[in-house]
Amino acid sequence: PVGGGTPVGGGTPVMVSTCANPIPLAAGVTVNGTNVGAANNQRFLNSNSTCSPTLASSTAGEVIYSITVPPLSRLTVTLRAAFDSTLNILANAAACGPLDGPSTCLARADEIGTGVVETATVTTGSSGASFLVAVDGYGASDVGAFTITALVAPIGPGETCAQAESVTLPLTRSAESTVGYTNDAVGSGFACPS
């Protein structure tokens, strides 16, 4: 089947995956996939989720991938779909929640329209992590072909709390830049754990 998964019946292979049984995704490889005929086990509703939402009436199926990322690395997932898609990165199967129930996403992307690029990024701490990547259709008719690419790269010093740089005050640095770093420290009152 295209992009892995399990063929069901005859004819065109259907992507069969769930949060408990995802399709492995390798870093640095562009995978061709489809959510045509895929099961609708998740609806990431906006009112009870930290994920990119789908419509409450959506019956579009989702395709769930898994990828393991080494310590102190950045995972960037890029999706281009022939339909209005959503892209969500979750920590594990427990984060998926039940159909229409609360789900917890670490990163999400939902650009409006067909054929647009969706990109979501997460970083790992000192122990690395495995993530689930969910490709879903926004509405009931949002099904079709897509390509997905996962890139993994080491993160720079100071990118995460786990690798914060020690500094001596008063700080007199110049020519510093945050180019190439992600905005991981979001939300009011963000602070590294003591």
Side-chain angles (χ1 to χ4, degrees), residues 33-40 42-44 52-63 79-87 110-116 118 134-146:
T34 181
N35 70 336
V36 173
N40 184 27
Q42 299 298 136
R43 253 190 311 262
F44 300 104
S52 288
T54 55
L55 290 175
S57 61
S58 179
T59 55
E62 68 280 337
V63 180
L79 169 70
R80 182 180 299 274
F83 54 92
D84 189 0
S85 60
T86 65
L87 174 65
D110 183 19
E111 300 298 328
I112 298 171
T114 299
V116 297
E118 313 273 7
V135 176
D136 205 347
Y138 178 72
S141 63
D142 290 316
V143 295
F146 61 84

Side-chain angles (χ1 to χ4, degrees), residues 9-23:
T12 304
V14 174
M15 305 299 289
V16 176
S17 63
T18 63
C19 289
N21 187 28
I23 300 165

Side-chain angles (χ1 to χ4, degrees), residues 1-186:
V2 176
T6 305
V8 175
T12 304
V14 174
M15 305 299 289
V16 176
S17 63
T18 63
C19 289
N21 187 28
I23 300 165
L25 182 63
V29 177
T30 297
V31 174
N32 296 313
T34 181
N35 70 336
V36 173
N40 184 27
N41 295 313
Q42 299 298 136
R43 253 190 311 262
F44 300 104
L45 302 179
N46 199 26
S47 61
N48 59 4
S49 171
T50 58
C51 305
S52 288
T54 55
L55 290 175
S57 61
S58 179
T59 55
E62 68 280 337
V63 180
I64 310 288
Y65 294 94
S66 66
I67 186 166
T68 300
V69 180
L72 302 174
S73 296
R74 177 184 298 113
L75 168 65
T76 303
V77 179
T78 304
L79 169 70
R80 182 180 299 274
F83 54 92
D84 189 0
S85 60
T86 65
L87 174 65
N88 290 296
I89 300 178
L90 302 96
N92 53 41
C96 283
L99 180 67
D100 294 342
S103 298
T104 305
C105 291
L106 302 172
R108 63 187 184 177
D110 183 19
E111 300 298 328
I112 298 171
T114 299
V116 297
V117 176
E118 313 273 7
T119 302
T121 302
V122 293
T123 57
T124 59
S126 58
S127 61
S130 292
F131 299 102
L132 295 178
V133 178
V135 176
D136 205 347
Y138 178 72
S141 63
D142 290 316
V143 295
F146 61 84
T147 60
I148 187 167
T149 306
L151 298 177
V152 175
I155 55 177
E159 174 77 15
T160 67
C161 292
Q163 62 171 161
E165 279 186 87
S166 293
V167 295
T168 304
L169 296 176
L171 188 61
T172 57
R173 290 183 170 182
S174 61
E176 296 286 331
S177 173
T178 58
V179 171
Y181 287 78
T182 59
N183 186 11
D184 301 355
V186 295

